[in-house]
Amino acid sequence: MLYHPDKHRDPELKRQAEQLFNLVHQAYEVLSDPQSRAIYDIYGKRGLDVEGWEVVERKRTPAEIREEFERLQREREERRLQQRTNPKGTISVGVDATDLFDHYEEDYEEITSGGLPHIEINRMHISQSIEAPLTTTDTAILSGSLSTHNGNGDQLLPSAVFYATVGPLVFYLAIQRLVIKPYMRAQKEQELEKQRESASSDIAQKKQEAESAVLLMQESVRRIIEAEESRMGLIILNAWYGKFVTDNSRKHERARVIDVTVPLQCLVKDSKLILTEASKAGLPGFYDPCVGEEKSLKVLYQFRGVMHQVLSGDTEALRIPKQSHRIDNDT
């Protein structure tokens, strides 16, 4: 209803409304068809093109398509688990108890009272290894081992045991901090830059659509605010969406956020705002200002004349107002 062209008299607003209304119509056609919706769940918009239909046989049912989707999800999860650090350790001990089991009867007679058979640890091997994935194809393996032969248990040196067990772990932590983490950070930045470049045209389109949506929302938002003010209801004072930098160690990074005050106020109904567990970049009037990076939604709002504030993760469900969001007078 918000984007219906007949609700807007201004020629420019009507033109923008027509564009957004067509997008809503296309989305409805896809989501109302079970097979198309299943294809979209797996392959996204590309799956709806000819290439996507070549990958998935047309004769397959939505249930079969969703089974494949779940299988692909499981495979991705398995790959993610395999890329985690994989510590391994083994200890093997060889014990020579010949003196206990292989005595002749006459030998026992010669053993003095209280004598004990001689038991000897003649072999011990301790090894420890830790895997540190660098990329999807490269993995660094740090390992250490200790072996003794023809000795006994009392002759093991603590320092040797330390170097064979704790040593690799300490060395791994040092390498992780000084080499692996900086390397992975640089790799992540390169991947993010590639994502931004490949998605630049799409982001520009989404930004334009979001700006058009905000313009079309103005009249509706004005009426919503008037209604909420009349009953001291929910008023969105300020809202920002994107990447916030709050850690002092990351001051060199630049925050990338967009103002989403109007879109959020437009979603208020009966003094309530409810967002489900999904990326907020898909909400009307929103777009992704920092592709591939962690995002949050920060909202400053007023309810019953009292100030409230909340910071919510991108895919977290959000329900306001809440007592826990209330800002104390001392704050």
Side-chain angles (χ1 to χ4, degrees):
M1 292 179 62
L2 179 66
Y3 297 151
H4 199 287
D6 294 344
K7 294 181 68 67
H8 303 278
R9 297 181 179 179
D10 182 273
E12 179 59 24
L13 292 179
K14 183 182 287 288
R15 183 188 65 82
Q16 295 177 359
E18 288 176 351
Q19 294 177 350
L20 294 175
F21 189 79
N22 288 335
L23 291 177
V24 174
H25 180 68
Q26 292 171 12
Y28 176 80
E29 287 185 333
V30 171
L31 299 180
S32 60
D33 178 69
Q35 192 173 33
S36 296
R37 182 167 186 157
I39 292 287
Y40 179 79
D41 285 342
I42 301 174
Y43 300 102
K45 291 181 64 176
R46 292 182 179 179
L48 301 174
D49 299 331
V50 176
E51 295 180 359
W53 286 105
E54 289 176 351
V55 175
V56 179
E57 299 177 8
R58 291 179 180 271
K59 64 182 181 180
R60 299 181 65 176
T61 65
E64 292 173 333
I65 296 173
R66 291 191 179 279
E67 285 180 6
E68 180 177 353
F69 179 46
E70 293 173 357
R71 179 184 63 80
L72 293 173
Q73 283 187 318
R74 288 194 298 269
E75 290 180 356
R76 284 194 293 268
E77 180 67 16
E78 289 173 0
R79 287 195 296 269
R80 186 181 68 83
L81 292 175
Q82 290 173 358
Q83 289 181 350
R84 291 182 177 177
T85 301
N86 186 23
K88 297 178 181 178
T90 60
I91 299 178
S92 61
V93 179
V95 179
D96 184 355
T98 304
D99 199 39
L100 178 62
F101 297 101
D102 202 25
H103 273 298
Y104 290 103
E105 185 176 348
E106 56 270 19
D107 292 335
Y108 283 102
E109 298 176 356
E110 299 176 1
I111 300 177
T112 58
S113 177
L116 296 175
H118 179 68
I119 299 176
E120 182 181 46
I121 297 177
N122 60 9
R123 178 178 57 82
M124 177 176 284
H125 178 79
I126 303 174
S127 65
Q128 177 82 13
S129 67
I130 299 175
E131 297 179 2
L134 300 178
T135 66
T136 55
T137 57
D138 301 317
T139 301
I141 301 177
L142 308 175
S143 63
S145 62
L146 165 69
S147 297
T148 63
H149 299 277
N150 299 322
N152 56 59
D154 296 332
Q155 293 177 341
L156 287 177
L157 299 177
S159 60
V161 175
F162 172 83
Y163 291 131
T165 56
V166 182
L169 179 59
V170 174
F171 182 67
Y172 165 77
L173 294 176
I175 294 296
Q176 175 82 357
R177 182 179 181 84
L178 300 177
V179 179
I180 297 177
K181 283 188 176 180
Y183 176 81
M184 295 298 290
R185 193 179 302 117
Q187 288 289 103
K188 183 179 179 180
E189 287 296 327
Q190 292 180 5
E191 290 296 326
L192 288 176
E193 190 60 33
K194 289 180 181 179
Q195 289 184 31
R196 295 189 194 106
E197 291 177 359
S198 61
S200 59
S201 59
D202 185 56
I203 293 174
Q205 180 181 350
K206 295 295 183 184
K207 181 179 179 181
Q208 183 180 1
E209 292 174 359
E211 292 173 348
S212 298
V214 170
L215 289 175
L216 297 172
M217 292 175 183
Q218 297 293 337
E219 183 60 28
S220 295
V221 167
R222 184 185 63 78
R223 292 195 298 268
I224 292 172
I225 291 177
E226 288 179 356
E228 293 296 325
E229 286 179 341
S230 66
R231 55 175 174 258
M232 295 187 68
L234 177 58
I235 306 295
I236 307 297
L237 300 176
N238 289 107
W240 303 271
Y241 172 68
K243 176 184 176 183
F244 296 87
V245 179
T246 56
D247 190 348
N248 290 333
S249 63
R250 298 166 57 193
K251 282 185 176 180
H252 64 283
E253 299 183 22
R254 182 171 58 90
R256 289 191 287 273
V257 298
I258 57 174
D259 188 332
V260 291
T261 306
V262 171
L264 279 190
Q265 186 69 67
C266 192
L267 295 174
V268 172
K269 184 177 182 180
D270 298 329
S271 298
K272 294 178 182 178
L273 174 64
I274 301 174
L275 303 180
T276 58
E277 292 182 349
S279 175
K280 297 171 179 60
L283 293 173
F286 283 61
Y287 69 93
D288 192 341
C290 44
V291 175
E293 299 190 65
E294 185 176 348
K295 291 171 281 292
S296 302
L297 174 65
K298 187 175 183 179
V299 185
L300 178 68
Y301 65 93
Q302 183 175 309
F303 180 68
R304 293 181 179 173
V306 180
M307 300 287 287
H308 296 68
Q309 182 172 282
V310 61
L311 182 66
S312 174
D314 185 26
T315 58
E316 292 179 2
L318 178 63
R319 186 185 182 96
I320 61 176
K322 269 191 175 182
Q323 182 70 22
S324 59
H325 301 164
R326 183 168 177 163
I327 300 176
D328 297 330
N329 293 331
D330 297 336
T331 305

